[in-house]
Amino acid sequence: MSNESLYTRHAPSFSSKIFSYAPDAFKAFGEFNKEALADGVISVKVKEFIAVAVAHVTGCPYCIEAHVGKAKALNASFEELFEAAAVGAAVNAHSAFYQSVNALNAFNDSKETDLYSRSNIELVEQLEDVNEGLYNAFFEYLHKSLKPQHIEAKEKLLIAVGSAHVTGSAYSIEIFTRQAKEAGATLEELAETIVVATVLKAGSAMAHRVNALQAYERE
């Protein structure tokens, strides 16, 4: 195995070497991770779908492998996991696409002090006049990604809400939360979704302790 790889697979004992240097904090994170992904108003399986989608947004290969494995152990099919990943990708694109409204305002020399006005969401329709082909292609992709297939509509929207909390887009959080509510999602389900997204976002940093150890120990 080449020592040039920055993502070398290691035994758990390798990454656990760093635990003793901050034991209380690492233990607390482990408990948070366990609680966030435990069965609740959202099933463990659906939480793993959210986790897989978010891991694709953060781009953490360790997280993808870990949560695909956990979902597989719960009898999740690859078709379901691919749909979850597609929702994460669509939300990532959605967050970038809606920033085009800010680009449009900047291009038009807007002096508005509120950079994330709710009314900006409606301005996105003006982008169709700029490039109808790109506009329609994006929304067709978004529609297909959120269309219920192996994963139900409400569950896909919960995945979208979780992914939006990782991208941090105010527009995406607003849009997908409202859509999830319309699909029947409860506030309790939204709360658990946000916690899963939070632990995955933090977990992607935690997982990269492997890289830090590799860098520190490299001669």
Side-chain angles (χ1 to χ4, degrees):
M1 182 180 296
S2 171
N3 62 7
E4 292 303 312
S5 174
L6 294 176
Y7 283 94
T8 304
R9 189 187 306 280
H10 287 283
S13 58
F14 176 77
S15 60
S16 66
K17 288 191 292 185
I18 202 170
F19 288 176
S20 61
Y21 295 96
D24 293 340
F26 279 112
K27 182 178 179 181
F29 179 80
E31 290 300 318
F32 173 42
N33 184 76
K34 180 180 177 180
E35 183 65 26
L37 290 162
D39 194 38
V41 292
I42 301 176
S43 69
V44 174
K45 186 176 181 180
V46 173
K47 285 187 175 183
E48 289 299 337
F49 290 159
I50 297 169
V52 168
V54 171
H56 279 74
V57 176
T58 65
C60 173
Y62 309 119
C63 302
I64 291 172
E65 183 172 271
H67 291 285
V68 165
K70 290 178 180 180
K72 184 179 179 181
L74 294 168
N75 297 316
S77 67
F78 187 72
E79 287 81 3
E80 289 174 312
L81 295 175
F82 185 49
E83 283 188 21
V87 172
V91 174
N92 212 10
H94 184 276
S95 297
F97 188 85
Y98 268 76
Q99 294 291 350
S100 296
V101 174
N102 293 59
L104 180 63
N105 287 340
F107 187 82
N108 291 332
D109 297 319
S110 172
K111 303 303 179 184
E112 289 290 333
T113 55
D114 186 353
L115 296 176
Y116 277 89
S117 171
R118 185 173 283 105
S119 63
N120 282 352
I121 293 174
E122 305 303 323
L123 291 180
V124 78
E125 295 176 2
Q126 294 183 19
L127 300 176
E128 185 175 11
D129 297 329
V130 177
N131 191 318
E132 183 178 1
L134 282 178
Y135 181 91
N136 290 335
F138 169 75
F139 279 102
E140 181 181 3
Y141 168 60
L142 182 64
H143 173 74
K144 286 184 176 180
S145 297
L146 292 172
K147 182 179 179 181
Q149 296 182 60
H150 294 89
I151 300 177
E152 296 178 2
K154 185 182 78 170
E155 294 172 348
K156 282 197 169 183
L157 287 166
L158 289 174
I159 293 170
V161 170
S163 299
H165 275 76
V166 174
T167 69
S169 167
Y171 302 129
S172 298
I173 292 171
E174 171 78 13
I175 290 167
F176 293 119
T177 299
R178 294 186 66 83
Q179 289 181 4
K181 181 181 178 181
E182 291 170 4
T186 65
L187 197 54
E188 289 82 4
E189 288 173 318
L190 289 170
E192 289 193 3
T193 296
I194 292 166
V195 171
V196 172
T198 301
V199 80
L200 260 293
K201 188 170 186 178
S204 66
M206 181 68 76
H208 281 83
R209 66 184 181 274
V210 175
N211 299 65
L213 280 165
Q214 281 184 171
Y216 191 84
E217 294 186 352
R218 183 170 291 117
E219 295 180 358

